[in-house]
Amino acid sequence: METLRQHPLFSRKNIVYLSAAFCCLLWGSAYPAIKSGYELFQIAADDIPGKIVFAGYRFLFAGGLLLLLAMAQRKPIARLSPRQFGQLTLLGLTQTSLQYIFFYIGLAFTTGVKGSIMNATGTFFSVLLAHFIYQNDRLSYNKTLGCILGFAGVMVVNFNSGLLDFSFSLLGDGSVVLAAFILSAASLYGKRISQTVDPTVMTGYQLALGGLALVVGGYLSGGTLTVHGIASVAILGYLTLLSSVAFALWSILLKYNRVGMIAPFNFLIPVSGSVLSAIFLGENIFEWKYALALLLVCSGIWWVNKVKQ
């Protein structure tokens, strides 16, 4: 066992990379799961309030699950100062509630292709914001090249005639970009909070509070959610589980590592989401663009984390 731990594959850096890739794979799997959820819960394509209620329950249950896990681990979930609770509330309302509201509004007024590409700008925001906030996370040639390659991979995986439409809708594309910026800024704010609050507790509260706000806002906007059989419960359960695991692990990774080292893995999300959607939704997976997109994204991640000799 000791020899296995000393193997280069199990170095701290490789464990961090594999953990980040695993988080993005989980988030990528949310794409086909959410689409299936809309069908199982019979949520119409133009029913934005219903979608917000659906997302709200997903995050509310995920946050509750993490807080139960923290209690089982005897972590102090109730020993929060008023200032800390205020910080967690602000994090939940921005990273979960506000980000998802703008994201859904944006998707309602733009195409899925452009929405996916615009949402990928969040990685650039994370790297740029980290450059100005952290002394040890400055922008470099490698990071710039890596981000460009990763973004090119996102464009390739979405390549079709819609990609050739370069018009910019402020309400559609602008809302998606704003959602990406809010998520990036909130993630950096969460990194700061995680220095004084356990990452599992922090993530549990922000998901639960943000999810609760989405549920209330969705119902007040006229949304509903009706369970239709065990399959709908199962898909909501899976989304709850992947959200709790991915967000908690991502918060831990951000706490102990540079943002510029972790953020570029986000480019894997639309690629893995497209591949998994093709597999589970019966689409054609044997296309050159998937292989090329994955190659570009992995090359980008390699360049970002390339150590200068």
Side-chain angles (χ1 to χ4, degrees):
M1 181 64 71
E2 191 64 31
T3 305
L4 187 62
R5 289 177 180 174
Q6 293 174 352
H7 192 279
L9 180 63
F10 294 94
S11 65
R12 180 187 180 279
K13 182 181 289 188
N14 284 343
I15 291 174
V16 170
Y17 293 165
L18 290 172
S19 299
F22 178 64
C23 287
C24 295
L25 180 64
L26 285 177
W27 279 321
S29 73
Y31 283 89
I34 290 172
K35 289 181 182 179
S36 299
Y38 291 160
E39 292 182 10
L40 293 170
F41 281 97
Q42 299 179 14
I43 301 174
D46 59 348
D47 184 9
I48 294 179
K51 291 180 178 180
I52 290 177
V53 172
F54 179 54
Y57 276 121
R58 167 192 170 188
F59 295 124
L60 176 61
F61 294 155
L65 184 62
L66 282 176
L67 291 176
L68 288 175
L69 176 62
M71 287 178 60
Q73 296 174 333
R74 299 185 180 279
K75 293 181 179 180
I77 69 169
R79 298 177 192 172
L80 297 173
S81 66
R83 182 173 180 271
Q84 288 175 324
F85 188 77
Q87 289 176 326
L88 294 175
T89 302
L90 177 60
L91 182 64
L93 292 177
T94 52
Q95 186 169 345
T96 301
S97 306
L98 196 60
Q99 183 262 141
Y100 252 80
I101 288 173
F102 276 112
F103 184 69
Y104 277 127
I105 290 174
L107 286 185
F109 293 95
T110 190
T111 63
V113 171
K114 293 176 69 178
S116 178
I117 294 172
M118 294 299 170
N119 193 48
T121 58
T123 301
F124 291 111
F125 290 135
S126 295
V127 173
L128 288 173
L129 289 172
H131 170 79
F132 294 105
I133 296 174
Y134 301 108
Q135 292 285 345
N136 66 339
D137 211 353
R138 298 298 190 188
L139 198 61
S140 64
Y141 170 80
N142 286 357
K143 286 183 182 179
T144 304
L145 178 59
C147 285
I148 291 173
L149 286 171
F151 190 69
V154 174
M155 294 187 70
V156 166
V157 82
N158 287 285
F159 185 79
N160 58 29
S161 58
L163 189 61
L164 303 178
D165 178 15
F166 290 103
S167 61
F168 185 87
S169 164
L170 189 61
L171 187 59
D173 304 325
S175 294
V176 175
V177 172
L178 182 57
F181 176 79
I182 291 172
L183 181 60
S184 300
S187 296
L188 294 181
Y189 183 55
K191 177 179 174 67
R192 176 184 170 187
I193 298 174
S194 68
Q195 306 305 312
T196 57
V197 180
D198 179 84
T200 303
V201 175
M202 178 195 76
T203 308
Y205 271 112
Q206 78 91 357
L207 286 175
L209 293 170
L212 179 61
L214 286 174
V215 170
V216 173
Y219 276 121
L220 290 177
S221 301
T224 59
L225 191 71
T226 305
V227 175
H228 297 278
I230 191 66
S232 58
V233 176
I235 202 71
L236 182 57
Y238 174 73
L239 287 168
T240 296
L241 188 61
L242 82 85
S243 297
S244 57
V245 172
F247 277 104
L249 184 55
W250 194 259
S251 298
I252 294 171
L253 290 173
L254 284 179
K255 177 177 180 177
Y256 295 107
N257 299 279
R258 291 178 288 108
V259 176
M261 175 183 175
I262 302 300
F265 280 87
N266 278 311
F267 286 127
L268 281 172
I269 297 175
V271 177
S272 61
S274 298
V275 173
L276 291 171
S277 294
I279 294 173
F280 291 104
L281 300 180
E283 300 170 6
N284 181 22
I285 190 174
F286 297 103
E287 294 188 39
W288 61 268
K289 65 180 183 180
Y290 292 134
L292 180 57
L294 189 59
L295 178 63
L296 286 169
V297 169
C298 291
S299 299
I301 293 171
W302 182 84
W303 271 103
V304 165
N305 292 290
K306 184 175 181 291
V307 179
K308 291 183 179 180
Q309 299 300 323

